[in-house]
Amino acid sequence: MTQDLSNWTIDDSAQLYGIPDWGRGFFGVNSAGEMTVEIDGSNGPVQVSLMEIVAGLEQRGYDMPIVLRIENLLQSRIVYLNETFRSAIAAAGYQGRYRGVFPVKVNQQCQIIEEICRFGAPYQHGLEAGSKAELVLALANLTPGGLLVLNGYKDREFIDLGLWAHKLGHPCFFVIESPAELDLLIERSRQLGVRPHIGARIKISTQVSGMWTETSGDRSSFGLSSTQLLAMVETLQAAGMIDCLEMLHCHLGSQIPCLEDIGRGVEEACRYYINLCREGAPMGYLDLGGGLAVDYSGRCSGDGHSRNYSLEDYCQAIVTTIAATLDTTGIAHPHIVTESGRATVAYSSMLLFNILDVMHFEAAPLPQPFPAEEAEILQEQHRFFTTLNGHDYHQAVVLRDRMRQQFRDGQLSLRQRTLGENLFLATAQKVVTTARQSGLASPQISELQDALADIYYGNFSVFQSLPDTWAIDQLLPVAPLHRHEQQPTREAILSDLTCDCDGKLDQFIVNGELRKTLPLHAFSPDENYYVGAFLMGAYQETLGDLHNLFGDTHVASVRINEEGGYDLIEEISGDTIGEILSYVEYIPSVLFDRMRKEAEQAVREQRLSVPERQQFLTLFGDNLAGYPYYKP
């Protein structure tokens, strides 16, 4: 970053962090340098500062970290998805309808499911369940007319519950994933006197690009081969139930970055659909599964963290491809079903946290003059530092490694080791500064710059709140919530509270490029510095684990109102330490009783006074009932 500090603007900051690109108009920066969430109001755009929301939550007693959900953003995505398909269908003269369903696995949180069903009710937006537990919650929330699509392996209980859903009036589709399920479904449907809606999930050979290529193609885990599909048709014909086969289901893939892959997959699915109609199945529904990508990087490209198409492009490609393929056969246009998960919920949730401390990798002032009696290896390091005139720091690395070996051999003291490390840091900083001033860029210089980056310690757990960033290198937008009127002067990675080297964020989009460090503002222990990880509404909350026994964070749901403020709709306190311990089979009351007895024994042995006993037990009890994250 070489721009003159005096010329820095909030537009420069927004561009640096890519906010206009990944924010899709939902996020911005106001004149005070604070990140905002934006909605379309009846009289124009409405903008609310995230720092204002943070301040309100802290005044209500909620410490960081916190998951913030914006109701408006979830509603906006559901409306946008349904209306864009409606427009594409109308423009193409398509005869079927769009029937969206939300895959519950993407975010099973109660509030999310309730809001999806409420906001999706005007469109009869449905749910997809892949387990008995998901089916139970789906049945309890589904609004009238919404499709219920049942994927995954199904035992007798799963099937019976779905058949009862059919009796209750829910349009419930049993998607056959494997041949073994079909016989059980036929048996149970006869037993309960139900003519079920049946779908067949097929494997298409089209292989999509991106991070999730294994979910498509011949080797995907789920779906029927063409041989198995034909056997399923013959089984239904023999059972007199071919009229129950009404849906073809295929999962094109997940987070598909390239529109061309989607078009090819839809065309292949249509060929299966046509042939099922010719086999005597009434059909009527074509479920294309997931795949609609989220542009996490904001680069509008074909890489795995982005997409090279808009929602309008996606809807138009699906509608026109189906129509063009079927119109030559005289087969009626099916209702189009998609199971968009990420694109529905990703934008609505973000993790907000504060920075606790910083570790700098920079040299302390060197002794002046340099001691002539110092060890020879240190003299060599100092000579290289003072005579360096260029960008080759290889010799500095060689000298540092020799110095470290001498320390291991007992030839150098701790103070000498510290001076040697400081000399290396001073040399490395000199190399990087010289390279910046001359405009030189190279992989070696970039690697050295990354090695000198600060570590900013954030009040959160990667494993609990952002597990995909660790497990599958998922890229999420990260940006400070404030100080955007100031140019950031530090390069950093973000480390969490866990005592684990993997508990960090070290992939960022900066100025449209993937980098290992994030520009941040200088940290002062006297001032709170807040950072947000955005677009994390898909998968992160239910995939989180209890690494180091950090549990669920506080959750707050707000709705941006027309007056330019916000209403706190729901607040959920995070896990207490006692609750977390109960998840791993401890009983908090038993733990407290053990400590009470131990403290009483200490009183008897005169190691504690009675007041000290009570002070300790109060502290222990307060911790059991307290938040596991850092509290100032």
Side-chain angles (χ1 to χ4, degrees), residues 2 390-391 431-441 445:
T2 59
H391 315 299
V431 169
V432 170
T433 300
T434 303
R436 285 176 177 170
Q437 291 172 346
S438 63
L440 177 70
I445 296 298

Side-chain angles (χ1 to χ4, degrees), residues 357-481:
D357 197 6
V358 177
M359 179 184 290
H360 297 296
F361 291 82
E362 56 190 11
L366 296 173
Q368 298 292 339
F370 196 81
E373 68 277 7
E374 198 49 89
E376 177 57 31
I377 183 61
L378 301 180
Q379 299 287 353
E380 288 187 58
Q381 284 187 280
H382 185 253
R383 283 194 294 271
F384 185 80
F385 166 71
T386 55
T387 59
L388 177 68
N389 183 23
H391 315 299
D392 184 9
Y393 65 98
H394 175 71
Q395 183 62 21
V397 176
V398 172
L399 292 171
R400 181 202 61 186
D401 291 346
R402 280 176 51 198
M403 177 272 299
R404 289 177 174 177
Q405 185 59 52
Q406 289 184 23
F407 175 76
R408 286 192 288 268
D409 292 341
Q411 299 173 25
L412 297 179
S413 70
L414 175 60
R415 291 185 182 276
Q416 290 173 314
R417 164 73 182 261
T418 300
L419 178 57
E421 296 289 350
N422 202 36
L423 281 164
F424 175 76
L425 284 175
T427 305
Q429 287 170 345
K430 189 175 182 180
V431 169
V432 170
T433 300
T434 303
R436 285 176 177 170
Q437 291 172 346
S438 63
L440 177 70
S442 71
Q444 292 77 20
I445 296 298
S446 295
E447 181 179 333
L448 184 58
Q449 182 171 322
D450 293 341
L452 295 174
D454 299 333
I455 300 177
Y456 274 51
Y457 293 95
N459 190 11
F460 72 105
S461 165
V462 162
F463 306 97
Q464 171 57 230
S465 296
L466 305 172
D468 275 354
T469 63
W470 160 72
I472 57 172
D473 293 325
Q474 173 67 55
L475 181 67
L476 295 173
V478 179
L481 303 186

Side-chain angles (χ1 to χ4, degrees), residues 325-348:
T325 308
L326 267 66
D327 283 349
T328 60
T329 67
I331 293 173
H333 297 165
H335 299 308
I336 300 170
V337 181
T338 66
E339 301 174 8
S340 296
R342 289 178 186 272
T344 301
V345 298
Y347 291 89
S348 62

Side-chain angles (χ1 to χ4, degrees), residues 18-32:
I19 296 170
D21 301 321
W22 57 258
R24 297 287 171 178
F26 292 138
F27 299 98
V29 180
N30 64 18
S31 58

Side-chain angles (χ1 to χ4, degrees), residues 587-606:
I587 301 173
S589 61
V590 171
L591 296 180
F592 186 85
D593 191 54
R594 287 178 187 172
M595 299 315 300
R596 183 187 60 76
K597 292 177 180 177
E598 186 172 334
E600 186 60 28
Q601 180 65 29
V603 169
R604 286 195 293 269
E605 296 174 0
Q606 297 184 345

Side-chain angles (χ1 to χ4, degrees), residues 152-228:
Y153 282 104
K154 306 166 193 69
D155 61 12
R156 174 174 170 167
E157 290 178 339
F158 194 163
I159 289 173
D160 283 2
L161 194 56
L163 292 171
W164 278 105
H166 183 102
K167 282 176 173 280
L168 289 171
H170 294 292
C172 176
F173 281 86
F174 293 86
V175 176
I176 301 301
E177 306 266 6
S178 68
E181 297 176 340
L182 184 58
D183 290 338
L184 183 58
L185 175 60
I186 292 172
E187 173 195 335
R188 297 309 302 160
S189 63
R190 285 174 173 168
Q191 187 71 27
L192 293 176
V194 175
R195 301 288 290 182
H197 301 294
I198 299 177
R201 178 169 177 174
I202 54 96
K203 295 180 182 181
I204 59 172
S205 59
T206 301
Q207 191 85 21
V208 301
S209 57
M211 295 177 62
W212 306 97
T213 57
E214 72 276 5
T215 66
S216 60
D218 294 333
R219 294 293 297 172
S220 59
S221 300
F222 295 99
L224 306 172
S225 67
S226 58
T227 301
Q228 292 170 328

